């Protein structure tokens, strides 16, 4: 084996996987994380989102990674739409299962969304966790945390103009319970779908989006109060208004 990447790929082939806990009839883990919050904010309900008309084709073709943002604050409705279309629950199924606005291997939905809101008039500036179950935002830390976010994303300059920064973290056992080691592939694939929806909805709402995978894992996990082992960041993205104030 030449390197860890190749080894990972080989050893996560189906024939090498450990027997899953699901197969051993071990009870499944909780379907959501609920970090302690000082305040919880309701979001605009999906049926009340008034989205501009844009064809799927137009959104796909016009999509770019955008690294330049205006100061126009993101509205509650825009933030609600971005969260709902990236991780929102469309349908609750028996046994705590759900169908969301994105696909997920085995509908395990092992991602959690954290969002740092920097430019918005409708929420206090700070770090939030998206409670998909109730479509609401839980405030974890109210402060200007831009310096920490900037450090976390390896000082990529454009982050300093962003209105919001998304962090997608996995609660890996939720996926590994069924797929054992292969779960590490699946959460990354799931995250790709999530970020693509963010890009496309950004095009519809005139909000620029740029995916971010260049980040300091340990720093960001600490920032989000994740242990880095069972729960850890897999992907991030900056978003910001393209409209002039
Ligand atoms: C997995 C992934 C990680 C990325 N990470 C970063 C990043 O850390 N910083 C950045 O500025 N752009 C990042 N990008 C954006 C790419 O640079 C961009 O998609 C690419 O240059 C093509 O440009 P386009 O998205 O405008 O088509 C990332 C994109 C992907 C898909």
């Amino acid at each position: 084996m030449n390197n860890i990447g190749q080894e990972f790929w080989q050893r996560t082939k189906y024939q090498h996987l450990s027997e899953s806990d699901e197969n051993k009839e071990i009870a499944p883990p909780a379907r959501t994380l609920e970090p302690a919050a000082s305040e919880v904010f309701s979001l605009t309900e999906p049926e009340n989102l008034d989205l501009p008309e844009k064809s799927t084709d137009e959104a796909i073709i016009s999509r770019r990674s955008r690294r330049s943002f205006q100061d126009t604050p993101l509205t509650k409705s825009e933030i609600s739409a971005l969260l709902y279309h990236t991780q929102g629950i469309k349908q609750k199924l028996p046994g705590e299962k759900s169908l969301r606005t994105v696909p997920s291997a085995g509908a395990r939905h092992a991602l959690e969304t954290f969002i740092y809101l920097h430019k918005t008039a409708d929420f206090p500036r700070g770090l939030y966790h998206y409670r998909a179950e109730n479509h609401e935002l839980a405030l974890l830390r109210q402060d200007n945390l831009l310096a920490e976010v900037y450090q976390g994303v390896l000082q990529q300059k454009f982050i300093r103009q962003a209105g919001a920064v998304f962090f997608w973290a996995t609660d890996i056992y939720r996926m590994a319970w069924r797929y054992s080691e292969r779960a590490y592939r699946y959460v990354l694939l799931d995250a790709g779908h999530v970020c693509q929806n963010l890009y496309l909805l950004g095009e519809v709402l005139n909000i620029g989006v740029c995916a971010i995978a260049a980040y300091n894992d340990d720093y960001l996990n600490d920032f989000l109060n994740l242990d880095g082992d069972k729960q850890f960041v897999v992907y991030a993205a900056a978003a910001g208004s393209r409209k002039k104030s």
Side-chain angles (χ1 to χ4, degrees):
M1 204 63 64
N2 291 335
N3 67 48
I4 190 95
Q6 287 173 315
E7 189 177 338
F8 167 77
W9 203 251
Q10 293 304 325
R11 296 198 25 197
T12 51
K13 288 182 174 172
Y14 262 98
Q15 64 266 34
H16 299 306
L17 302 183
S18 318
E19 186 183 359
S20 72
D21 281 355
E22 180 181 32
N23 228 29
K24 293 184 205 156
E25 297 188 0
I26 293 171
R31 303 294 297 233
T32 49
L33 287 185
E34 214 161 280
S38 55
E39 211 174 330
V40 177
F41 294 86
S42 65
L43 291 166
T44 311
E45 288 304 325
E47 58 274 18
N48 296 330
L49 291 169
D50 192 17
L51 301 182
E53 288 284 320
K54 192 163 203 164
S55 73
T56 313
D57 179 63
E58 264 182 285
I60 292 173
I61 302 300
S62 64
R63 187 212 58 80
R64 289 298 318 270
S65 291
R66 304 186 193 277
R67 300 177 182 83
S68 173
F69 311 112
Q70 300 289 339
D71 279 333
T72 316
L74 294 170
T75 64
K76 175 175 173 175
S77 157
E78 288 170 332
I79 291 163
S80 305
L82 295 174
L83 288 165
Y84 182 72
H85 288 82
T86 48
Q87 273 293 272
I89 293 181
K90 292 186 299 188
Q91 196 185 338
K92 291 187 180 168
L93 301 174
E96 283 185 62
K97 284 192 196 156
S98 59
L99 294 179
R100 301 198 185 201
T101 48
V102 284
S104 168
R108 297 302 303 155
H109 291 294
L111 294 175
E112 296 287 332
T113 307
F114 295 84
I115 185 169
Y116 171 59
L117 295 179
H118 190 71
K119 291 180 192 167
T120 164
D122 297 332
F123 300 96
R125 188 174 267 178
L127 178 67
Y128 295 78
H129 173 247
Y130 176 52
R131 293 188 177 170
E133 286 281 313
N134 302 322
H135 186 54
E136 58 193 15
L137 268 183
L139 178 60
L140 308 181
R141 271 177 80 191
Q142 181 178 343
D143 210 344
N144 182 343
L145 304 172
L146 192 60
E148 289 175 54
V149 174
Y150 180 60
Q151 277 302 113
V153 300
L154 305 176
Q155 303 176 356
Q156 297 190 60
K157 290 202 171 46
F158 70 91
I159 207 79
R160 294 191 296 206
Q161 290 177 18
V165 185
F166 288 74
F167 302 97
W168 295 290
T170 183
D171 184 13
I172 192 70
Y173 181 59
R174 222 184 290 166
M175 189 64 87
W177 174 78
R178 173 165 298 163
Y179 296 110
S180 35
E181 295 85 356
R182 207 170 168 91
Y184 289 80
R185 292 190 190 202
Y186 291 169
V187 292
L188 300 180
L189 297 172
D190 279 14
H193 293 289
V194 173
C195 191
Q196 182 70 1
N197 273 18
L198 185 70
Y199 267 113
L200 296 180
L201 198 73
E203 290 302 311
V204 172
L205 296 173
N206 211 7
I207 289 171
V209 170
C210 185
I212 299 175
Y215 58 82
N216 180 328
D217 295 68
D218 295 340
Y219 190 99
L220 276 190
N221 289 332
D222 284 351
F223 175 66
L224 300 175
N225 206 16
L226 304 171
D227 69 5
D229 185 21
K230 295 187 178 71
Q231 289 137 9
F232 48 91
V233 176
V234 295
Y235 208 8
S241 185
R242 294 169 61 200
K243 300 164 210 146
K244 291 224 188 295
S245 25

